[in-house]
Amino acid sequence: MDTTFRLGGAGDYADEEELELGLGLSLTSGAYAPSSNGPLSNQVVGWPPVKTYRMNSLVNQAKFSKNEGEKGAGEESTSKKKKNKNHENKNDETVTKETGHSGFVKVNMDGLPIGRKVDLNAHDCYETLAKALEIMFLKASTSASFIRTEKQQRSRLLDGSSEFVLTYEDKEGDWMLVGDVPWRMFLGTVKRLRIMKTSDANGLAPRFQEKNQKPKNKHIELKR
Amino acid sequence: MGFPEEVLEHVFSFITSHTDRNVVSLVCKSWYEIERWCRRRIFVGNCYAVSPAMMIRRFPEVRSVELKGKPHFADFNLVPDGWGGYFYPWICEMARAYPWLEEIKLKRMVVTDDNLELISKSFKNFKVLVLSSCEGFSTHGLAAIAANCRNLRELDLRESEVEDLSGHWLSHFPDSCTSLQSLNMSCLSSEVSFSALQRLIARSPNLKTLRLNRAVPLEKLSTLLRRAPQLVELGTGAYSAEIRPDVYANLTEAFSRCKEVKGLSGFWDVLPSYLPAIYSVCSRLTSLNLSYATIQSPDVTKIITQCPNLQSLSVLDYIEDTGLNALSLSCKDLRELRVFPSDPFVANANVSLTEQGLVAVSEGCSKLQSVLYFCRQMSNSALTTIAKNRPNLTCFRLCILEPRAPDYLTFEPLDVGFGAIVEHCKQLQRLSLSGLLTDRVFEYIGKWAKKLEMLSIAFAGDSDLGLHHVLSGCDSLRKLEIRDCPFGDKALLANVSKLETMRSLWMSSCSVSLGACKRLSQKMPRLNVEVIDEQGDLDSRPDNCHVEKLYIYRTVAGPRFDMPSFIRTMDQNPTYRS
């Protein structure tokens, strides 16, 4: 077997494989530093490589300790820890110790035999959740397509422009359209998610309206 | 070779390492025969590498079986549900063939309640069940184990995903069960009956390891500790309670009686005011896991500076560089350090943990061997310093949170830094890379990392040459896992025989074509080349399309048949297809 190894240059590969240093980071003079206070510019599946078990544990704790109101190390510890996440009123959605609510919920998509799991606690709004699901289900094949710019438009799963729409099953077993209730309320009630064909989802609207007595919104109000 | 069998068997009984026993069996036919009859412990690193029937046929008198299922990247949600790793075929055969089985240890496998019930009823002398990162079972299955395993010594559920229906399972341990030495239920969320727990502990004089779950309240911990002063490893439940002097006093007193405690873990929901209660055990601690404790650097530091005998520490990045500096000065016996991210999904955290902390520990802790470190910035100079400080490193796993982050001082790739690691740390067995890396780093790895057994690569490299360096240079490589790298057909097809010397290769979001997978499979009949494609239409894909995920492993059991529809083993004999 010929063991000499000849390789082409970077041109062998599609442009998308090019090293993308942009990533929403500004490489100004001076030390490198991620420029945004927001999420990591690449929200991809399985990165950073922190075990599911650990993520669930940590995030459930964060909720718990916020609600406690007891900070032995002083008030500054809370604000120090939580500066980067904007959360709504902490006191209404109490997560009790016994819940052990896993941040991971199953997601299925019409037409695909397999389900995945998504960590709801890795997101603080519908937008990032929907984008993560887009990555997982709608753009599974390319490695670099997830690289995002700041100007990325709103997720198609939420604004009704895609042939698919994002729905969830709540605690009472009803299927609802994702996006109509405040994020934290959604977290407290969601059992699993389903990416449904928009045509199939039309039946949801009346039920949803009944339940909440308000007209279906085409544009989701994002809560931050 | 003229020794009677009994003598050889006796000699072999001192040979316990799996590799050594494998070597022994290769000496000659009679040694093979003798060895296989007296082998008591089996380790199968990939449950699909061999079939249960083959294992049983060769080793009829086994007492302990350890199996691993899913690939490591399953921990990070990269392996779809339904992939496989079922314990079912194993337990079916073992229940029949190994009535004297005592130990089952599983990692990343799918275990059902029925499987657990079968275990509990098939082995009269069953002693040890370890389910590490497993899933598929509920607390009903645990109830069966508790109720039926008369001589149970160890039940360890570490990090498994259990359907937690109730805490009632614990009450199924009969009053006659007094054999328990180790119980790890930290992954469960339901509250167990406290009185049942208390009584279980009280009648288990040999209980050395107890890892409680979060639902066990702190106020009651002292009650449990008082009944088990012989404990060596303790995992607390939630570590906060209303601030009450009597609770604090009881806790402090209970801890002070635990003269044998060497390891502490748990510490969810920590209320720092209660931390001083553990100070009395600190001087004896060799192992401390504070990686769920969301406490700030001063509180962490106060503890670790009282632990001069600490060998293993897991913490959150709240420890910051200052805490790590204190660690480097106080804990001269430190062997293992793991620093986890408190907030992995933001680019900037208000946590002052940088490469400096790790450098400090590498300087001060001369016995440091194993590192797992999540941080947000790294430099080549820091890596080089660490490498030169600690040539005795055996495990170095660095995760810079932002993919492809360069040296933050020079903007260069981190090739040189990681190169220094592999060059100086000649005993390195495990390495995880991150940051901006070109093919050059793989050149260094192929050149220097001769003892490397496991390598994890993400968002790195420029071309197939990178992968080729690794496959052709790393003589000891067993497990290679790669995601999001521009590695493709050429490197794989140029190193086919290497793949049979390894346990497994995982590649996802790379540039390997379907056609190359087919060719590889045809060339290497003793490899299973499994392609995972969640779009679900593999049959209609052209050969030049890139596969999403690829898992290649050596096997003597042939292709498996328990796969879901979106996983295919590449056909090895396409000409014989009907």
Side-chain angles (χ1 to χ4, degrees):
Chain A
M1 183 184 288
D2 179 12
T3 52
T4 55
F5 197 73
R6 259 179 258 283
L7 293 167
D12 275 0
Y13 299 98
D15 287 344
E16 63 194 13
E17 312 291 355
E18 247 180 1
L19 288 177
E20 170 66 31
L21 286 185
L23 304 179
L25 307 171
S26 59
L27 300 180
T28 54
S29 60
Y32 160 87
S35 65
S36 78
N37 246 1
L40 282 179
S41 40
N42 288 3
Q43 279 226 315
V44 294
V45 177
W47 190 268
V50 178
K51 278 186 186 176
T52 308
Y53 175 79
R54 174 169 296 281
M55 285 316 307
N56 289 346
S57 206
L58 260 184
V59 182
N60 282 331
Q61 267 196 98
K63 285 186 197 156
F64 172 76
S65 58
K66 272 193 325 225
N67 292 328
E68 274 290 285
E70 288 232 65
K71 300 289 167 274
E75 291 307 303
E76 70 274 8
S77 63
T78 322
S79 51
K80 199 179 180 207
K81 274 183 278 181
K82 298 302 152 201
K83 238 188 245 181
N84 291 313
K85 277 201 176 228
N86 285 327
H87 290 286
E88 287 179 39
N89 195 344
K90 292 150 192 152
N91 295 321
D92 49 2
E93 322 297 342
T94 315
V95 176
T96 58
K97 252 194 275 191
E98 297 82 42
T99 312
H101 172 65
S102 161
F104 277 81
V105 294
K106 280 198 186 264
V107 193
N108 283 84
M109 175 161 155
D110 285 357
L112 287 191
I114 25 78
R116 295 295 293 276
K117 287 192 194 146
V118 68
D119 179 9
L120 291 180
N121 291 312
H123 302 277
D124 57 4
C125 66
Y126 289 115
E127 204 53 44
T128 61
L129 169 64
K131 283 183 183 172
L133 291 176
E134 270 188 64
I135 292 168
M136 249 190 240
F137 286 92
L138 303 178
K139 291 178 187 170
S141 48
T142 56
S143 61
S145 57
F146 54 74
I147 293 174
R148 298 184 175 286
T149 64
E150 310 284 315
K151 313 279 194 321
Q152 194 84 8
Q153 63 266 52
R154 193 172 276 187
S155 168
R156 297 176 297 133
L157 283 174
L158 291 179
D159 67 5
S161 66
S162 162
E163 63 167 303
F164 289 101
V165 76
L166 188 54
T167 64
Y168 71 102
E169 184 182 9
D170 70 7
K171 273 193 182 136
E172 282 138 38
D174 297 320
W175 284 91
M176 319 277 284
L177 280 172
V178 165
D180 282 303
V181 300
W183 173 253
R184 307 229 12 116
M185 193 182 295
F186 166 71
L187 282 189
T189 188
V190 59
K191 267 179 27 192
R192 56 190 166 129
L193 294 167
R194 186 169 150 206
I195 301 176
M196 212 180 270
K197 286 219 166 73
T198 310
S199 44
D200 293 338
N202 283 335
L204 286 181
R207 270 175 84 210
F208 171 70
Q209 275 175 307
E210 255 168 46
K211 216 167 175 158
N212 294 279
Q213 283 147 10
K214 76 181 180 204
K216 176 180 165 193
N217 290 331
K218 273 264 172 189
H219 299 288
I220 309 302
E221 221 173 272
L222 298 178
K223 306 231 182 250
R224 275 208 169 261
Chain B
M1 244 87 76
F3 289 128
E5 246 177 63
E6 300 79 39
V7 173
L8 280 173
E9 226 182 88
H10 183 68
V11 170
F12 292 171
S13 68
F14 294 101
I15 300 171
T16 46
S17 113
H18 298 292
T19 6
D20 288 345
R21 292 216 74 144
N22 289 344
V23 168
V24 159
S25 68
L26 291 174
V27 167
C28 64
K29 271 205 176 127
S30 71
W31 279 38
Y32 177 92
E33 277 304 306
I34 297 167
E35 196 281 321
R36 78 181 188 92
W37 278 96
C38 66
R39 175 117 44 145
R40 297 284 175 260
R41 314 183 68 86
I42 300 282
F43 169 74
V44 181
N46 172 7
C47 65
Y48 291 116
V50 68
S51 74
M54 287 168 157
M55 173 185 79
I56 289 166
R57 204 162 44 231
R58 180 170 169 191
F59 301 111
E61 299 280 339
V62 162
R63 299 280 181 273
S64 164
V65 173
E66 188 176 343
L67 303 174
K68 293 189 178 180
K70 297 184 202 174
H72 174 238
F73 273 176
D75 286 353
F76 316 124
N77 224 19
L78 285 174
V79 177
D81 279 353
W83 176 87
Y86 303 106
F87 183 51
Y88 175 74
W90 292 86
I91 186 56
C92 282
E93 306 245 12
M94 296 194 306
R96 271 196 298 268
Y98 292 153
W100 300 110
L101 194 67
E102 296 176 5
E103 297 185 0
I104 292 174
K105 299 181 182 178
L106 306 176
K107 188 165 187 180
R108 289 192 206 98
M109 292 195 74
V110 178
V111 182
T112 63
D113 286 345
D114 285 345
N115 298 160
L116 292 177
E117 189 167 347
L118 194 52
I119 292 176
S120 77
K121 298 201 164 138
S122 308
F123 312 114
K124 299 280 175 279
N125 207 20
F126 194 69
K127 296 195 168 114
V128 173
L129 181 62
V130 178
L131 300 174
S132 175
S133 302
C134 294
E135 57 166 351
F137 61 101
S138 77
T139 41
H140 286 337
L142 298 179
I145 296 285
N148 302 324
C149 299
R150 298 291 162 84
N151 296 313
L152 196 66
R153 226 171 49 195
E154 189 174 335
L155 178 61
D156 184 340
L157 304 173
R158 58 180 85 151
E159 300 185 346
S160 288
E161 205 179 296
V162 185
E163 198 187 343
D164 204 325
L165 301 168
S166 88
H168 194 58
W169 66 275
L170 189 100
S171 309
H172 284 256
F173 278 109
D175 290 340
S176 54
C177 176
T178 58
S179 49
L180 211 56
Q181 291 181 17
S182 172
L183 177 62
N184 180 354
M185 46 183 249
S186 53
C187 63
L188 300 177
S189 44
S190 284
E191 198 169 345
V192 298
S193 148
F194 187 76
S195 60
L197 178 60
Q198 197 179 335
R199 280 181 283 115
L200 176 63
I201 290 170
R203 65 176 184 274
S204 306
N206 295 315
L207 191 69
K208 297 279 190 307
T209 299
L210 177 64
R211 302 212 193 269
L212 302 168
N213 65 344
R214 205 157 157 190
V216 176
L218 187 61
E219 304 90 16
K220 298 195 174 157
L221 183 59
S222 46
T223 313
L224 297 178
L225 289 182
R226 249 177 252 120
R227 277 161 185 64
Q230 77 285 1
L231 276 182
V232 176
E233 303 278 335
L234 170 70
T236 72
Y239 203 81
S240 59
E242 235 183 279
I243 299 193
R244 279 169 42 192
D246 58 324
V247 171
Y248 180 79
N250 284 342
L251 196 58
T252 308
E253 203 252 348
F255 269 111
S256 69
R257 288 183 187 214
C258 294
K259 304 283 188 210
E260 310 295 325
V261 164
K262 292 218 172 65
L264 284 181
S265 63
F267 296 106
W268 292 282
D269 316 316
V270 174
L271 186 57
S273 326
Y274 274 105
L275 284 174
I278 69 168
Y279 287 171
S280 61
V281 303
C282 284
S283 61
R284 288 181 291 271
L285 284 185
T286 55
S287 162
L288 182 56
N289 185 348
L290 292 172
S291 64
Y292 296 100
T294 51
I295 54 177
Q296 302 302 304
S297 186
D299 293 309
V300 180
T301 305
K302 248 193 243 146
I303 299 173
I304 60 182
T305 45
Q306 296 184 63
C307 304
N309 291 310
L310 205 58
Q311 294 179 16
S312 170
L313 176 66
S314 297
V315 270
L316 287 171
D317 56 8
Y318 291 133
I319 190 175
E320 299 192 331
D321 289 343
T322 46
L324 290 175
N325 201 44
L327 179 69
S328 74
L329 297 171
S330 309
C331 303
K332 295 302 186 184
D333 212 16
L334 196 71
R335 321 278 165 104
E336 179 186 36
L337 174 67
R338 301 189 309 163
V339 180
F340 294 97
S342 50
D343 219 341
F345 297 109
V346 296
N348 266 338
N350 288 319
V351 166
S352 181
L353 179 109
T354 70
E355 80 285 4
Q356 289 312 312
L358 186 56
V359 170
V361 176
S362 76
E363 261 156 26
C365 302
S366 64
K367 299 201 191 151
L368 188 68
Q369 285 179 321
S370 175
V371 170
L372 170 60
Y373 200 75
F374 285 82
C375 60
R376 288 179 162 83
Q377 65 185 43
M378 188 49 64
S379 66
N380 283 308
S381 67
L383 283 171
T384 306
T385 305
I386 292 165
K388 289 181 173 166
N389 284 342
R390 292 277 61 81
N392 49 330
L393 284 175
T394 53
C395 169
F396 188 73
R397 297 161 68 189
L398 179 69
C399 179
I400 306 164
L401 291 177
E402 183 72 37
R404 304 197 183 99
D407 177 322
Y408 78 102
L409 296 168
T410 66
F411 283 128
E412 285 169 5
L414 290 170
D415 300 337
V416 166
F418 278 106
I421 294 280
V422 291
E423 184 184 346
H424 294 278
C425 306
K426 303 209 191 293
Q427 302 306 313
L428 198 67
Q429 286 173 355
R430 185 166 180 186
L431 177 65
S432 299
L433 305 171
S434 59
L436 182 62
L437 297 165
T438 72
D439 283 347
R440 172 128 287 168
V441 73
F442 300 110
E443 196 185 320
Y444 297 143
I445 291 173
K447 180 175 179 192
W448 295 109
K450 296 303 181 187
K451 297 277 169 74
L452 194 66
E453 297 182 8
M454 182 168 178
L455 179 62
S456 308
I457 310 173
F459 307 105
D462 306 313
S463 73
D464 272 58
L465 194 51
L467 179 56
H468 176 68
H469 283 310
V470 170
L471 291 176
S472 58
C474 296
D475 299 335
S476 310
L477 198 62
R478 290 189 301 115
K479 289 180 281 183
L480 180 57
E481 49 186 23
I482 304 173
R483 62 162 301 173
D484 293 275
C485 295
F487 300 149
D489 301 349
K490 293 187 185 122
L492 276 186
L493 293 173
N495 291 283
V496 293
S497 23
K498 174 69 174 177
L499 297 177
E500 217 181 78
T501 69
M502 293 164 54
R503 182 189 295 175
S504 65
L505 166 64
W506 168 279
M507 293 179 74
S508 54
S509 305
C510 295
S511 312
V512 180
S513 72
L514 186 58
C517 294
K518 292 178 182 171
R519 280 180 10 241
L520 178 58
S521 183
Q522 284 154 34
K523 284 190 189 203
M524 304 297 293
R526 283 185 304 212
L527 292 181
N528 278 354
V529 179
E530 292 180 7
V531 170
I532 299 172
D533 191 317
E534 298 181 66
Q535 302 298 326
D537 59 352
L538 258 177
D539 289 325
S540 57
R541 295 291 194 79
D543 275 3
N544 64 357
C545 80
H546 289 169
V547 300
E548 273 169 34
K549 298 177 186 181
L550 176 61
Y551 188 51
I552 302 171
Y553 56 90
R554 67 179 175 190
T555 180
V556 292
R560 60 184 177 112
F561 296 106
D562 61 355
M563 298 179 292
S565 58
F566 54 93
I567 303 184
R568 293 288 171 77
T569 306
M570 293 293 100
D571 211 335
Q572 284 162 352
N573 296 303
T575 51
Y576 295 118
R577 234 181 320 161
S578 56

